[in-house]
Amino acid sequence: VQFLKIRQGLELRLVPQERAALEQIFQEIVDDYETPMENLKSAQRAFWSEPKGILEHGYEKEREYWVQHLLSLRDSRLVEVKNWLNHLRGQREAKEVFWKIHQDQIESFLQILNDRRLFLASTEAVTEEEMESNPSDLSEETRRDLVLRIHLLAALMEMAMSAWDLK
Amino acid sequence: MTASATRFCRQSAPAAPEIEKQAVTRDLSEQAPGWYVIVWNDHINTMTFVSRIFQKVLGFNKDKAHFHMMEVHVQGKSCVAKESREKAEFYWEQLQGYGLRTTLQKAD
């Protein structure tokens, strides 16, 4: 996968396998965002519906406002990632895929990939030790794959940031 | 993770004031730069991403963003701003939206 800075944003160049992988990532993100709040594990539910850091010093009475704010973030990101998913699905037959991320969408792109990292890590209770380790040293295959997936998402974010922040 | 006090956050959180007192003082305290915005360490967000968020949301230059990112990483937290209540809420909203664990703390 290549990220190139273009006039109004970024262009991703993907070979078919990379397109398929990114499509799968976006599908997983859609599934995350569409999971009803009551079916989420407590850590994710807390992220979207318990704005803890602000509910002090008289904020408690504004709880509903902040909960709605967090939920609206989730909803707007869902709309965005669904559009991207549809775009990539429409390119299934392409030999090489060119996908443009407009400059106004770059922050969303990073936030959405990061949401997926946070979601995976909290769902599976990934520890600091696992994150700091070399994934190949992890004895359990499922944990190894999980940590690799989290690092892969970070690598995509890094590529996007490096390309976009180029002078 | 324990965190040592930072430049902005030397005082411990004040005891909860009585409601009447809070009502009287709220107008003034909302406008005064008396709210700390604190970002806490976590082991998932990457250092590059956190540094970038500080530049994007708080308008820090690269060096300042790096300093606060390292403070979060090493000390467990960093006070990234001291602002009016409204501005502090805005920062909380933005930083939280990026997935950073952020809290507000009222200054003494």
Side-chain angles (χ1 to χ4, degrees), chain A residues 56-119:
Chain A
E56 288 116 29
H57 312 292
Y59 287 89
E60 184 60 41
K61 61 188 173 190
E62 297 165 20
R63 171 186 285 274
E64 192 53 33
Y65 168 81
W66 291 108
V67 170
Q68 287 310 317
H69 167 71
L70 291 177
L71 292 177
S72 72
L73 280 184
R74 191 174 186 250
D75 292 343
S76 63
R77 289 176 191 177
L78 173 62
V79 171
E80 197 129 44
V81 76
K82 273 184 168 174
N83 287 337
W84 300 341
L85 180 60
N86 287 335
H87 177 79
L88 287 183
R89 278 187 180 147
Q91 307 274 316
R92 278 182 175 162
E93 305 305 321
K95 295 261 190 298
E96 190 177 14
V97 174
F98 299 90
W99 176 45
K100 289 186 176 62
I101 307 175
H102 191 269
Q103 56 192 4
D104 296 341
Q105 297 178 311
I106 291 171
E107 292 310 308
S108 307
F109 180 75
L110 297 171
Q111 289 166 334
I112 285 168
L113 291 184
N114 202 49
D115 279 351
R116 177 64 182 153
R117 301 180 72 243
L118 295 169
F119 190 93

Side-chain angles (χ1 to χ4, degrees), chain B residues 8-28:
Chain B
F8 284 141
C9 290
R10 292 213 173 88
Q11 303 89 354
S12 57
E18 293 164 21
I19 292 168
E20 294 78 9
K21 186 178 169 188
Q22 193 177 29
V24 172
T25 58
R26 173 158 286 178
D27 284 350
L28 281 177

Side-chain angles (χ1 to χ4, degrees), chain A:
Chain A
V1 57
Q2 271 188 300
F3 285 76
L4 301 172
K5 187 172 185 174
I6 55 172
R7 197 169 175 176
Q8 289 188 317
L10 288 174
E11 183 177 78
L12 271 77
R13 296 184 178 177
L14 307 156
V15 297
Q17 294 89 338
E18 291 164 343
R19 188 214 57 79
L22 198 55
E23 182 187 323
Q24 188 186 330
I25 289 169
F26 287 160
Q27 181 60 61
E28 289 166 354
I29 295 170
V30 167
D31 294 343
D32 290 347
Y33 287 149
E34 285 187 333
T35 304
M37 205 56 72
E38 60 272 20
N39 295 350
L40 290 175
K41 286 192 176 178
S42 60
Q44 289 95 47
R45 201 164 50 241
F47 183 80
W48 294 113
S49 64
E50 290 175 27
K52 277 182 184 163
I54 205 159
L55 292 181
E56 288 116 29
H57 312 292
Y59 287 89
E60 184 60 41
K61 61 188 173 190
E62 297 165 20
R63 171 186 285 274
E64 192 53 33
Y65 168 81
W66 291 108
V67 170
Q68 287 310 317
H69 167 71
L70 291 177
L71 292 177
S72 72
L73 280 184
R74 191 174 186 250
D75 292 343
S76 63
R77 289 176 191 177
L78 173 62
V79 171
E80 197 129 44
V81 76
K82 273 184 168 174
N83 287 337
W84 300 341
L85 180 60
N86 287 335
H87 177 79
L88 287 183
R89 278 187 180 147
Q91 307 274 316
R92 278 182 175 162
E93 305 305 321
K95 295 261 190 298
E96 190 177 14
V97 174
F98 299 90
W99 176 45
K100 289 186 176 62
I101 307 175
H102 191 269
Q103 56 192 4
D104 296 341
Q105 297 178 311
I106 291 171
E107 292 310 308
S108 307
F109 180 75
L110 297 171
Q111 289 166 334
I112 285 168
L113 291 184
N114 202 49
D115 279 351
R116 177 64 182 153
R117 301 180 72 243
L118 295 169
F119 190 93
L120 276 173
S122 58
T123 308
E124 305 299 333
V126 174
T127 65
E128 185 163 9
E129 197 183 354
E130 286 176 313
M131 284 301 291
E132 297 296 325
S133 69
N134 183 336
S136 60
D137 293 338
L138 296 171
S139 54
E140 266 188 64
E141 196 181 338
T142 50
R143 302 303 287 180
R144 196 163 55 232
D145 289 349
L146 176 64
V147 173
L148 276 171
R149 285 164 73 196
I150 294 172
H151 287 318
L152 171 69
L153 290 163
L156 286 173
M157 291 169 63
E158 294 285 335
M159 282 191 269
M161 287 188 283
S162 303
W164 180 239
D165 293 341
L166 271 181
K167 293 282 178 278

Side-chain angles (χ1 to χ4, degrees), chain B residues 37-76:
Chain B
V37 181
I38 302 163
V39 176
W40 297 82
N41 190 37
D42 68 75
H43 57 277
I44 305 300
N45 284 305
T46 65
M47 295 164 85
T48 325
F49 190 50
V50 172
S51 192
R52 188 179 184 282
I53 295 167
F54 287 167
Q55 291 175 63
K56 191 86 189 166
V57 173
L58 303 161
F60 290 173
N61 63 29
K62 221 169 186 172
D63 289 345
K64 190 172 179 184
H66 182 78
F67 170 82
H68 282 280
M69 177 276 291
M70 285 308 293
E71 195 167 52
V72 171
H73 183 64
V74 174
Q75 301 191 350

